[in-house]
Amino acid sequence: MKVYKTEQIRNISLTGNAGSGKTTLAEAMLFEGGVINRRGEVTAKNTVSDHNYIEQEYGNSVLSTLLYTESNGTKINVLDTPGMDDLCGGVVSSLNVTDLALMVVNTTNGVESGTVAAGRYAETVNIPMMFVFNQLDHDNSNFDATLEQCKATFGNKVTIVQYPVDAGPEFSAIIDVLKMKMYKYGPNGGKPEVLEIPDSEKDRAEELHNELVEMAAENEESLMELYFDKGSLSEDEMRKGMKMGMLQRDLYPVFCTCAKKNIGVGRLMEFIVNIAPTPVERPMRPVASGREMKMEESADPSLFVFKTAVESHVGEITYFKVMSGKIKEGLDLINTKTGNKERLSQVFVSAGKNRDKVEELVAGDLGCTVKLKETKFNQTLTTKDADTQYEPIKFPASKHTVAVKAVNESDDEKVGEILNKIKFEDPTFVIEYSKELKQLLVHGQGEYHLNVLKWYFDNVHKIDVNYIQPKIPYRETITKFAQADYRHKKQSGGAGQFGEVHMIIE
């Protein structure tokens, strides 16, 4: 695989409610980029993203998955994230290392709880966002209602770039008001026929085009002056204004797809390549010491670990973002937390469980390595004596707690070891042994989250455990005011003893 420069890289997170079609969209993007030659399906359990047994059994994403695809000489790193808020760890970690959140919305259901939650996490890290209205081929899909719900939830920053001509089972055409063309697709999607906008749609397209021009012009004074002088903007000028609007989170473009039929996916990728922020156009992750860092290929190498995972027959896999310099096979770096040396014996790009070796990865790129000795999630690797330790990712506080007890006492020690490993794979689990209650407590994001943990015990580790309601640490306390006096006198033949105590308790 070729080595991409920083400006040739785009990092995106696929976010949204469960069932919105994120994994199917990721599959179509990999197919469009030539990374795979056949599109899998979630129902067939053969997608590149949802490759874990638990995801195939549950029928939805449980973990975030790093993928990559290529378009017009640009590498697009894609993090496919879970849609349930109980599994928010993968969403939060992904948004912290990418530069654009693609909010996938099922136009049958509109804005759902997972849409709102993902939007909240995107706002927390101040990441640019765009909307992908998906599943427009369904009987009950409703583009206009979904748009109104998005505007009610996220504001009038939600702006149409595309709208469907015939949403429903016959969906096959999209009007693009940026390019002012109609994209007509065949029954199997793929490459569209680019046509002039039909007369029946010209008025609406012109109106939406003018709205988009105004939104683009508002983001820079020189563009606003051009707009006043000419009454319009060229496509390149609109791209410039849209990019600035997205970087400032003042513009959320709306695109249309049917990921299952590969309709609209190629044009979406073209937009990402042309307008989505590059890694250098986004603020650098803060360094704990306050030192200023720049994402430069010429700088000393450093990387930030955003995920660790364990695969059978492989062991621990460490996923990272290159923050500066170049990362090559055989490179020795220092873990800033432990002070120990780590050697990157191999460097890979990842497409689910498929990993391809690469010569090097440059600043801004995402990749993975295997068999590091001690480096875990949220840690930094850098050169010796470099004062660089990137701020850790912060996760939402836990919401649900259970006590875990092995059915067989002989497994108690194993249970503790497994939980200590799992907290590195999913940092939203908080493990605590309460000396007061004499119980091993697991704090998670919700009941579904804890059921996922139980699945791992049952199916991966083959250990029977019970979830028990945590005990309540009852303590006695003072209930009312009390007063007492006592005088002590004792004659022992010598000086004797005398003492007086006055005591008040309240």
Side-chain angles (χ1 to χ4, degrees):
M1 184 181 175
K2 66 175 279 191
V3 176
Y4 288 88
K5 301 294 184 183
T6 303
E7 61 273 12
Q8 296 174 312
I9 295 167
R10 305 290 183 273
N11 297 319
I12 66 171
S13 293
L14 295 181
T15 62
N17 200 76
S20 58
K22 300 183 297 297
T23 298
T24 306
L25 177 59
E27 197 79 3
M29 292 176 77
L30 267 63
F31 179 76
E32 278 286 317
V35 176
I36 57 176
N37 53 26
R38 181 177 174 274
R39 286 180 289 133
E41 294 184 11
V42 173
T43 51
K45 303 180 181 181
N46 61 354
T47 57
V48 177
S49 181
D50 287 357
H51 60 87
N52 289 292
Y53 291 126
I54 185 171
E55 293 175 317
Q56 293 173 359
E57 184 173 315
Y58 281 27
N60 58 263
S61 300
V62 172
L63 308 163
S64 63
T65 304
L66 176 60
L67 314 162
Y68 76 91
T69 186
E70 298 171 283
S71 178
N72 296 328
T74 301
K75 181 187 179 190
I76 304 174
N77 290 312
V78 180
L79 275 160
D80 181 21
T81 69
M84 293 189 177
D85 198 33
D86 273 21
L87 308 173
C88 63
V91 181
V92 174
S93 61
S94 298
L95 291 172
N96 270 268
V97 294
T98 51
D99 308 303
L100 175 67
L102 246 66
M103 182 73 76
V104 185
V105 184
N106 182 343
T107 50
T108 304
N109 303 329
V111 172
E112 302 174 84
S113 60
T115 318
V116 177
R120 186 171 64 246
Y121 298 133
E123 184 179 11
T124 301
V125 296
N126 201 35
I127 187 173
M129 190 164 67
M130 62 183 287
F131 286 84
V132 179
F133 285 11
N134 193 29
Q135 302 186 28
L136 284 159
D137 62 325
H138 282 206
D139 284 327
N140 299 321
S141 68
N142 193 323
F143 177 87
D144 293 328
T146 302
L147 180 68
E148 288 306 310
Q149 290 175 25
C150 286
K151 286 190 173 185
T153 307
F154 299 98
N156 288 324
K157 301 172 183 179
V158 180
T159 307
I160 293 176
V161 175
Q162 292 182 338
Y163 70 89
V165 176
D166 47 4
E170 303 303 317
F171 172 61
S172 63
I174 297 169
I175 303 292
D176 191 308
V177 300
L178 171 59
K179 288 188 170 288
M180 288 303 285
K181 296 289 182 182
M182 183 173 81
Y183 291 80
K184 181 74 174 176
Y185 293 84
N188 299 315
K191 192 172 181 180
E193 188 180 358
V194 183
L195 305 170
E196 295 301 320
I197 296 172
D199 292 341
S200 59
E201 296 293 333
K202 274 188 177 176
D203 288 346
R204 185 183 183 190
E206 285 288 350
E207 182 184 345
L208 292 172
H209 177 78
N210 291 334
E211 285 181 15
L212 186 60
V213 169
E214 287 181 22
M215 291 288 284
E218 285 175 0
N219 297 296
E220 191 184 50
E221 193 173 328
S222 62
L223 289 176
M224 185 63 82
E225 289 173 2
L226 273 173
Y227 175 61
F228 285 140
D229 289 344
K230 301 191 301 182
S232 187
L233 296 175
S234 68
E235 188 179 326
D236 286 342
E237 290 163 347
M238 287 178 70
R239 283 179 180 172
K240 181 182 177 183
M242 289 175 72
K243 174 174 273 197
M244 293 187 68
M246 290 172 70
L247 282 166
Q248 297 161 11
R249 283 178 57 86
D250 287 331
L251 178 67
Y252 303 148
V254 173
F255 273 73
C256 299
T257 64
C258 171
K260 191 172 183 179
K261 295 180 179 177
N262 194 19
I263 294 176
V265 178
R267 171 67 182 120
L268 172 66
M269 290 169 64
E270 181 188 348
F271 181 86
I272 290 169
V273 169
N274 290 335
I275 298 183
T278 66
V280 292
E281 290 173 324
R282 293 264 296 132
M284 187 71 165
R285 185 162 198 83
V287 175
S289 65
R291 176 188 171 203
E292 288 290 325
M293 288 287 293
K294 290 185 178 180
M295 192 168 282
E296 296 175 337
E297 295 178 31
S298 58
D300 290 335
S302 68
L303 61 85
F304 175 71
V305 177
F306 67 89
K307 176 184 173 179
T308 51
V310 176
E311 279 188 21
S312 57
H313 312 302
V314 178
E316 192 167 286
I317 304 169
T318 305
Y319 294 87
F320 57 82
K321 180 174 186 178
V322 185
M323 304 302 290
S324 61
K326 298 177 181 179
I327 300 297
K328 298 181 180 181
E329 188 176 294
L331 182 65
D332 288 332
L333 296 172
I334 302 297
N335 184 316
T336 56
K337 184 172 182 179
T338 64
N340 296 330
K341 185 172 77 171
E342 292 277 19
R343 170 160 289 188
L344 304 180
S345 57
Q346 295 172 305
V347 179
F348 302 95
V349 291
S350 175
K353 65 181 177 182
N354 303 316
R355 286 172 290 276
D356 298 322
K357 285 182 69 173
V358 289
E359 292 179 20
E360 66 180 27
L361 295 174
V362 304
D365 212 343
L366 305 181
C368 65
T369 188
V370 294
K371 298 178 181 177
L372 294 185
K373 291 182 291 185
E374 294 179 316
T375 300
K376 302 293 182 186
F377 171 85
N378 250 348
Q379 295 180 357
T380 300
L381 292 179
T382 187
T383 52
K384 190 178 181 181
D385 302 327
D387 183 21
T388 307
Q389 184 171 341
Y390 297 102
E391 290 282 1
I393 297 169
K394 295 177 182 176
F395 292 93
S398 55
K399 306 176 185 74
H400 199 75
T401 302
V402 294
V404 178
K405 176 69 178 172
V407 173
N408 297 318
E409 286 191 12
S410 59
D411 290 331
D412 280 347
E413 191 173 335
K414 285 183 184 176
V415 169
E417 290 173 0
I418 290 165
L419 288 173
N420 276 323
K421 289 179 180 177
I422 282 174
K423 73 180 182 183
F424 289 111
E425 291 183 61
D426 185 349
T428 53
F429 281 122
V430 178
I431 314 302
E432 172 198 2
Y433 180 76
S434 172
K435 292 181 180 178
E436 189 174 20
L437 302 177
K438 294 182 172 57
Q439 285 184 311
L440 183 59
L441 303 178
V442 178
H443 309 277
Q445 293 297 315
E447 190 174 349
Y448 188 89
H449 193 207
L450 293 165
N451 287 342
V452 167
L453 177 61
K454 184 75 163 57
W455 186 94
Y456 277 106
F457 274 114
D458 293 342
N459 296 278
V460 177
H461 304 291
K462 309 294 184 185
I463 295 177
D464 290 330
V465 297
N466 288 329
Y467 280 175
I468 306 164
Q469 193 73 15
K471 296 175 186 175
I472 297 172
Y474 288 113
R475 293 169 180 164
E476 292 186 0
T477 187
I478 308 304
T479 59
K480 64 181 181 181
F481 175 88
Q483 183 174 355
D485 302 316
Y486 175 69
R487 177 174 289 184
H488 171 75
K489 282 204 285 186
K490 186 175 182 182
Q491 192 68 38
S492 58
Q497 298 174 349
F498 179 83
E500 216 172 62
V501 177
H502 300 272
M503 183 164 57
I504 296 173
I505 299 175
E506 61 181 354

